[in-house]
Amino acid sequence: MNKPLFLIIMLLLCFSCKTPEARKPISVKTGSFIDESVARNKKLNAKEQALIQEIMDANKNNAYIASENGFWYFYNTKTTEDTATTPNYGDIVNYSYNLKDLKGNLIYPEDAFKDLDYAMDKQELFTGLREGLKLMRPGETVTFLFPSQIAYGYYGDENKIGTNVPLIAEVTVNSITKTQDN
């Protein structure tokens, strides 16, 4: 009698043990938020591109140049001197600028941003202006058309510039001071 009981217990022990199984997730995330965000940003970008194109079409006398960084610009005043160079990493750029919305409404006048010094790529500055300054020489004035994603983007400047506002910036570079590193 002992033998059949022992055999039953052994069979139960052998078949009741199994390897642990991974638990199934409670909820499955589909990435729909990211997909919606991408679609929303593409739509916003297309709308801003159309507005900027309207401005360029209305001002055919300005020779707009498309930059590699996603903005457009034209020279109000261009330096023809061969000796004038564009700034490099660490150079100190003294500049002034004003900001308008795409309808031409002044957001910040030039006296709000007059005679500013910027250490090229060593200080914070919104992307469009930082990349725009790299194209300029002393004495030049350039008007830039910045889509919102390379201007102040989603957050704005938390003062006068709201969410997703494309900008027009008229920038004048007064001087470029080369640093010892260059």
Side-chain angles (χ1 to χ4, degrees):
M1 188 145 159
N2 241 350
K3 209 172 193 179
L5 183 61
F6 178 73
L7 195 58
I8 292 174
I9 292 175
M10 288 306 280
L11 286 173
L12 283 174
L13 284 174
C14 287
F15 289 109
S16 65
C17 296
K18 61 179 182 177
T19 59
E21 291 182 23
R23 291 183 282 164
K24 305 267 190 247
I26 295 172
S27 66
V28 178
K29 297 192 178 197
T30 62
S32 64
F33 173 76
I34 292 173
D35 294 339
E36 290 171 13
S37 179
V38 167
R40 185 174 50 249
N41 286 333
K42 283 183 178 180
K43 188 176 176 182
L44 175 66
N45 190 30
K47 178 182 170 187
E48 289 178 6
Q49 298 288 336
L51 290 172
I52 289 172
Q53 189 61 49
E54 285 178 22
I55 291 171
M56 291 190 297
D57 290 342
N59 298 306
K60 295 252 186 219
N61 55 337
N62 298 327
Y64 286 95
I65 302 166
S67 79
E68 296 175 355
N69 298 300
F71 59 85
W72 293 262
Y73 63 99
F74 70 90
Y75 288 91
N76 300 45
T77 308
K78 185 169 177 136
T79 301
T80 56
E81 298 176 30
D82 291 337
T83 58
T85 61
T86 58
N88 294 318
Y89 178 81
D91 290 347
I92 306 300
V93 179
N94 180 276
Y95 67 103
S96 302
Y97 71 102
N98 66 37
L99 290 176
K100 301 175 190 172
D101 63 17
L102 290 186
K103 294 178 182 174
N105 300 320
L106 195 62
I107 299 172
Y108 288 111
E110 190 169 337
D111 60 346
F113 300 114
K114 190 173 182 120
D115 291 325
L116 300 173
D117 286 328
Y118 171 66
M120 188 56 67
D121 291 332
K122 288 187 172 184
Q123 294 174 297
E124 292 225 7
L125 196 60
F126 71 87
T127 304
L129 186 55
R130 182 180 65 241
E131 296 304 321
L133 287 172
K134 291 178 183 178
L135 303 171
M136 297 179 69
R137 295 180 173 147
E140 290 184 335
T141 300
V142 176
T143 298
F144 295 97
L145 303 175
F146 296 126
S148 65
Q149 67 268 17
I150 59 172
Y152 284 93
Y154 180 75
Y155 293 104
D157 73 342
E158 298 177 356
N159 190 8
K160 292 184 177 182
I161 300 172
T163 299
N164 297 323
V165 176
L167 298 172
I168 298 173
E170 188 174 307
V171 182
T172 301
V173 171
N174 304 317
S175 65
I176 298 173
T177 306
K178 296 291 184 182
T179 60
Q180 295 290 335
D181 299 341
N182 297 327

